[in-house]
C-alpha cells in the first residue's frame, strides 16, 4: 500500500520519509511513462493495472502524484489526473485534489489551479492547510501575488462555510437552548459579521434558532465585528409577527449602539409588515429608520401614507404620526403628497374621507395651501359627502383661505342636483360674505345648470333674479343664455322675456335667437309682441326684430300670423318701406302659388 504524507516548503513539493517497497516505487515511473506522451495509449487502464497499481485505494493517487518521476513531469501528472477524474475505478478524494493543487501552483498553472478549486467546492472538498502554505509560497515565489491572495481568501471562505454549517447543525439538532450555547462555544471559531449573516440566513425560517445564535454572537464576538451588518441581518429575519417583541429588542440594541437600518433591510421589512397588516409596527419601523443615517426617501414616505389610507380600518392617528415623523426629520411635506393620497382614496372608493385624512395630516404638521384644501373639497363632493365638504370649505375660508370659486361651484352643483336645493342656494350668500358679486358667477351657473337639469328652470330664474336685484350679483353671459334656452323649452316664456331685461341691466347684448326660433315654429302673436316689447331700445331697434319675424313667418308658411302681427304693429313699422315691399311681394306670390296648385 502506498502511504504518503504531503508537506510543503520553499515552494517545492515535499514528502516525509516513507518505507516503500522497491516495486511500489517503480509504479510511479510506470505511470509517468504511460502519460509522458500527449497522445495516450489505447487502454491506459490496462497498462496501469499491468504495473500492479490499484487506483481504487484512497491513498494510491496522492502517492503517485508526489513520485519524483511524475511530480517532475507536470504535463504527465496533469494528464494522469484528468484521465483519473474521468475513470470510474479511480478514487479521487480530497487528498488527491490537494496534491494536484500543489503541483499546479508549483508549475504556475493558475488556470488549472482554480479549475480544480471549483471542482473541489462542487464535491464538498476543502483546501488543506498544507496545500494553502505550499501553494501560497509557490505563487509568491513565481511573482503571482494576486493568486496567492486569492487562495488565502478561498481558504478563509471554506473555513467560514464549514463553521457556518456546523453552527446551523447545532442550532437545528439540539432542542435545549443552554446546550446549544455550550456547543457553539466549543466550536472555537472566530465570529465575523459574514459568518453571522450566513448562519442567520440559513436558519431564517426558524427565528427562535436565530435568536439563540444572536445571543451567542453578542457574548462571543470580538471588537472587530461590524455590528451594523450583524444587527441588520438579525432584524431582517426576526421582523415578523410571531417574534415582534424580540424584533423590538433588537431595534433598542441598535439604538444603543447607534446602528441604523440599511435601506435594503428597511424595504424588505416595511413591505412584509404592510402585507401582513402590521400597520403600527410599520409606522414604528419608519420612525426608527428616520432616526438613522440611511433615512427612508420621500417615495418611501408617500408609499407608507398611501398604504395607511387604503387599509380596511383606517387609523388617522397613524397617518398623523407618519407626517409628524417625516417633518421632524427635517423634511418638507409637499402638496403633491396629498395628490397621491387622493389617488389612493379614489382607488378604494373612499374619497369621502379626504377631509379627515387632510385634517390628520395637518395635525401632523402639514400646512396645506388653498389648492390642497380645494382638492379635498372636490374629492368629498365627488363622493357625495356634501355636508362634510361644506363644513370643511367654510372652516378653511374662515381661517383666511380663499378657495377657487370653482370649488364652490362644484359644491353648489352637487347640492342642486340632489334633493337639497335650499343648501345650494344658501352657499351663494356665504360666498358673497367674502367676495364681490362678480366673483360668484361659476357657482351661480352651477346652481342654474343643476336646477334646470331637474326641470326646475323657473326656480332657477327666481334665485338668479333675486341675487341680481338684491345682492348685485353679476351672472355670466353663458348662464343667461343657458337659462333662456331652458325656460323656453320648459314653457316659461314670460320668465325668459324677463331674463332679457336682467341681461340688459348687466350690460349684456340681448340674446333673441331662441325666442325667434320658438315664435316662428309655434309661437303666437302675443309671444311675438312680448319679445318685441322686451327688445325695444335705442341700441337695438325693434324694427329689425319685426323684419326677422315677418320674414321667418312667411318662410314657415305662417302668413296669417304675420298679417296679425302687422296689424298690431306701430305705424312706423307698418309704413316702413322694407315691410311694405315684403308684404307686397308675398301678395303677388300667393295667387301664383294658388294657380300653380290648381293647375
Amino acid at each position: 500500500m502506498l502511504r504518503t504524507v504531503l508537506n510543503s516548503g520553499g515552494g517545492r513539493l515535499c514528502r516525509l520519509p516513507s518505507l516503500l517497497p522497491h516495486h511500489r516505487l517503480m509504479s510511479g515511473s510506470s505511470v509517468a511513462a504511460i502519460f509522458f506522451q500527449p497522445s495516450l495509449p489505447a487502454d491506459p487502464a490496462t497498462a496501469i493495472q499491468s504495473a500492479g497499481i490499484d487506483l481504487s485505494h484512497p491513498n494510491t493517487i496522492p502517492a503517485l502524484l508526489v513520485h519524483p518521476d511524475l511530480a517532475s513531469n507536470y504535463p504527465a501528472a496533469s494528464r494522469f489526473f484528468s484521465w483519473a477524474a474521468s475513470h470510474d475505478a479511480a478514487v479521487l478524494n480530497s487528498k488527491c485534489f490537494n496534491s494536484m493543487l500543489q503541483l499546479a501552483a508549483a508549475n504556475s498553472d493558475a488556470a488549472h489551479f482554480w479549475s480544480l478549486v471549483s471542482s473541489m467546492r462542487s464535491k464538498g472538498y476543502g483546501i488543506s492547510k498544507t496545500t494553502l502554505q505550499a501553494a501560497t509560497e509557490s505563487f509568491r515565489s513565481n511573482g503571482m501575488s494576486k493568486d496567492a491572495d486569492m487562495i488565502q481568501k478561498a481558504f478563509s471562505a471554506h473555513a467560514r462555510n464549514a463553521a457556518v454549517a456546523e453552527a446551523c447543525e447545532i442550532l437545528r439538532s439540539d432542542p435545549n437552548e443552554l446546550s446549544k450555547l455550550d456547543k457553539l462555544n466549543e466550536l472555537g471559531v472566530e465570529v465575523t459579521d459574514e459568518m453571522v449573516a450566513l448562519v442567520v440566513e440559513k436558519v431564517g425560517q426558524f427565528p427562535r434558532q436565530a435568536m439563540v445564535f444572536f445571543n451567542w454572537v453578542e457574548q462571543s464576538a470580538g471588537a472587530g465585528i461590524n455590528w451594523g451588518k450583524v444587527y441588520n441581518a438579525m432584524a431582517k429575519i426576526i421582523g415578523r409577527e410571531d417574534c415582534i417583541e424580540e424584533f423590538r429588542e433588537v431595534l433598542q440594541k441598535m439604538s444603543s449602539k447607534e446602528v441604523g437600518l440599511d435601506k435594503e433591510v428597511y424595504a424588505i421589512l416595511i413591505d412584509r409588515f404592510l402585507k401582513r397588516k402590521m400597520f403600527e409596527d410599520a409606522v414604528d419601523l419608519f420612525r426608527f429608520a428616520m432616526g438613522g443615517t440611511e433615512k427612508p426617501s420621500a417615495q418611501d414616505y408617500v408609499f407608507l401614507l398611501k398604504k395607511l389610507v387604503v387599509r380596511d380600518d383606517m387609523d388617522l392617528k397613524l397617518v398623523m404620526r407618519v407626517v409628524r415623523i417625516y417633518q421632524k426629520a427635517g423634511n418638507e411635506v409637499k402638496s403633491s403628497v396629498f395628490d397621491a393620497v387622493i389617488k389612493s382614496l379614489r382607488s378604494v372608493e373612499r374619497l369621502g374621507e379626504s377631509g379627515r385624512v387632510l385634517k390628520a395630516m395637518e395635525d401632523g404638521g402639514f400646512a396645506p395651501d388653498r389648492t390642497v384644501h380645494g382638492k379635498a373639497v372636490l374629492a368629498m363632493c365627488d363622493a357625495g359627502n356634501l355636508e362634510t365638504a361644506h363644513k370643511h370649505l367654510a372652516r378653511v375660508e374662515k381661517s383666511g383661505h380663499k378657495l377657487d370659486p370653482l370649488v364652490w361651484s362644484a359644491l353648489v352643483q352637487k347640492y342642486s342636483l340632489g334633493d337639497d336645493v335650499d343648501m345650494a342656494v344658501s352657499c351663494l350668500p356665504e360666498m358673497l360674505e367674502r367676495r364681490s358679486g362678480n366673483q360668484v358667477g361659476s357657482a351661480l351657473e352651477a346652481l342654474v345648470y343643476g336646477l334646470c337639469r331637474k326641470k326646475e328652470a323657473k326656480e332657477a330664474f327666481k334665485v338668479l333674479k333675486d341675487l341680481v336685484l338684491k345682492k348685485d350679483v353679476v351672472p355670466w353671459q353663458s348662464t343667461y343664455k343657458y337659462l333662456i334656452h331652458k325656460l323656453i323649452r320648459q314653457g316659461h316664456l314670460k320668465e325668459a322675456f324677463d331674463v332679457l331685461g336682467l341681461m340688459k341691466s348687466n350690460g349684456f347684448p340681448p340674446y333673441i335667437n331662441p325666442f325667434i326660433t320658438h315664435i316662428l315654429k309655434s309661437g303666437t302673436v302675443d309671444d311675438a309682441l312680448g319679445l318685441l316689447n322686451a327688445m325695444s331700445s335705442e341700441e337695438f331697434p325693434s324694427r329689425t326684430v319685426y323684419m326677422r319675424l315677418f320674414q321667418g313667418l312667411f318662410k314657415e308658411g305662417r302668413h296669417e300670423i304675420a298679417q296679425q302681427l302687422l296689424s298690431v304693429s306701430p305705424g312706423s313699422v307698418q309704413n316702413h318701406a322694407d315691410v311694405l315691399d315684403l308684404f307686397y311681394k308675398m301678395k303677388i306670390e300667393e295667387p301664383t302659388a294658388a294657380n300653380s296648385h290648381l293647375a
Side-chain angles (χ1 to χ4, degrees), residues 257-541:
K257 289 183 179 290
E258 297 183 350
V259 171
L261 278 176
D262 293 342
K263 283 188 175 182
E264 178 188 359
V265 176
Y266 170 81
I268 291 171
L269 289 175
I270 200 72
D271 186 60
R272 184 188 302 161
F273 286 173
L274 292 172
K275 283 182 178 178
R276 298 180 182 182
K277 303 187 185 302
M278 300 166 63
F279 296 104
E280 288 191 27
D281 296 301
V283 174
D284 288 339
L285 179 70
F286 179 73
R287 177 188 57 78
F288 179 82
M290 287 302 296
T293 53
E294 293 190 41
K295 303 180 189 299
S297 65
Q299 290 77 14
D300 295 325
Y301 159 67
V302 174
F303 174 76
L304 180 55
L305 268 184
K306 290 168 65 176
K307 291 294 182 180
L308 290 176
V309 300
V310 298
R311 60 180 289 196
D312 294 337
D313 51 340
M314 181 169 54
D315 188 341
L316 293 175
K317 289 183 180 178
L318 293 181
V319 174
M320 178 193 69
R321 280 187 61 200
V322 169
V323 175
R324 182 172 294 167
I325 291 166
Y326 186 71
Q327 193 173 53
K328 281 190 174 181
N331 299 298
E332 178 189 0
V333 182
K334 297 183 178 180
S335 299
S336 58
V337 173
F338 190 67
D339 294 339
V341 170
I342 287 281
K343 188 175 181 180
S344 294
L345 289 171
R346 188 185 301 277
S347 70
V348 292
E349 298 181 353
R350 207 180 290 169
L351 282 176
E353 300 285 352
S354 301
R356 294 177 63 226
V357 172
L358 181 56
K359 182 63 169 59
M361 293 178 67
E362 283 186 85
D363 292 341
F366 177 44
D369 57 18
R370 62 193 291 265
T371 303
V372 171
H373 280 298
K375 289 176 180 178
V377 173
L378 291 173
M380 287 184 279
C381 287
D382 286 346
N385 197 351
L386 302 183
E387 184 178 356
T388 306
H390 193 175
K391 288 180 179 178
H392 186 95
L393 199 162
R395 176 179 68 83
V396 170
E397 292 223 329
K398 285 180 181 177
S399 69
H401 289 289
K402 271 192 176 182
L403 301 195
D404 192 309
L406 292 177
V407 177
W408 278 100
S409 302
L411 179 62
V412 169
Q413 186 175 44
K414 289 291 184 179
Y415 270 135
S416 60
L417 289 173
D419 297 325
D420 205 342
V421 175
D422 291 340
M423 284 302 300
V425 175
S426 70
C427 288
L428 295 170
E430 285 187 62
M431 290 186 69
L432 290 169
E433 288 179 9
R434 288 174 285 276
R435 293 171 174 81
S436 62
N438 60 0
Q439 291 182 306
V440 298
S442 61
L444 179 56
E445 183 162 283
L447 174 61
V448 170
Y449 271 52
L451 290 172
C452 289
R453 286 173 65 180
K454 294 172 64 179
K455 300 192 181 303
E456 296 182 14
K458 191 172 183 179
E459 180 64 26
F461 166 72
K462 290 178 181 179
V463 173
L464 182 142
K465 181 179 179 181
D466 188 63
L467 289 169
V468 171
L469 298 180
K470 297 180 180 179
K471 301 292 185 179
D472 294 325
V473 170
V474 181
W476 290 348
Q477 186 179 21
S478 58
T479 306
Y480 278 128
K481 289 182 176 181
Y482 179 80
L483 182 56
I484 286 172
H485 272 291
K486 292 301 180 181
L487 285 169
I488 293 173
R489 283 190 181 183
Q490 294 177 24
H492 307 298
L493 200 60
K494 179 181 180 303
E495 287 76 10
F497 291 148
D498 290 343
V499 172
L500 291 176
L502 296 175
M503 289 186 75
K504 188 192 304 183
S505 69
N506 287 145
F508 293 120
Y511 183 54
I512 64 172
N513 291 345
F515 294 100
I516 291 179
T517 300
H518 168 74
I519 292 168
L520 296 182
K521 294 289 184 182
S522 59
T524 65
V525 172
D526 289 338
D527 294 340
L529 290 175
L531 173 63
L532 292 164
N533 290 333
M535 291 304 305
S536 297
S537 67
E538 293 181 3
E539 294 79 11
F540 198 105

Side-chain angles (χ1 to χ4, degrees), residues 207-244:
R208 300 297 175 188
Q209 295 179 12
M211 281 302 299
V212 172
F213 179 71
F214 184 64
N215 291 334
W216 174 73
V217 169
E218 288 189 308
Q219 298 170 13
S220 309
I225 195 168
N226 186 330
W227 284 108
K229 290 185 177 180
V230 171
Y231 280 117
N232 272 277
M234 197 64 207
K236 182 167 67 172
I237 296 301
I238 65 170
R240 41 196 281 177
E241 61 269 46
D242 55 349
C243 47
I244 196 65

Side-chain angles (χ1 to χ4, degrees), residues 570-581:
S572 59
V573 174
Q574 292 181 1
N575 297 319
H576 193 276
D578 293 338
V579 174
L580 292 173
D581 286 345

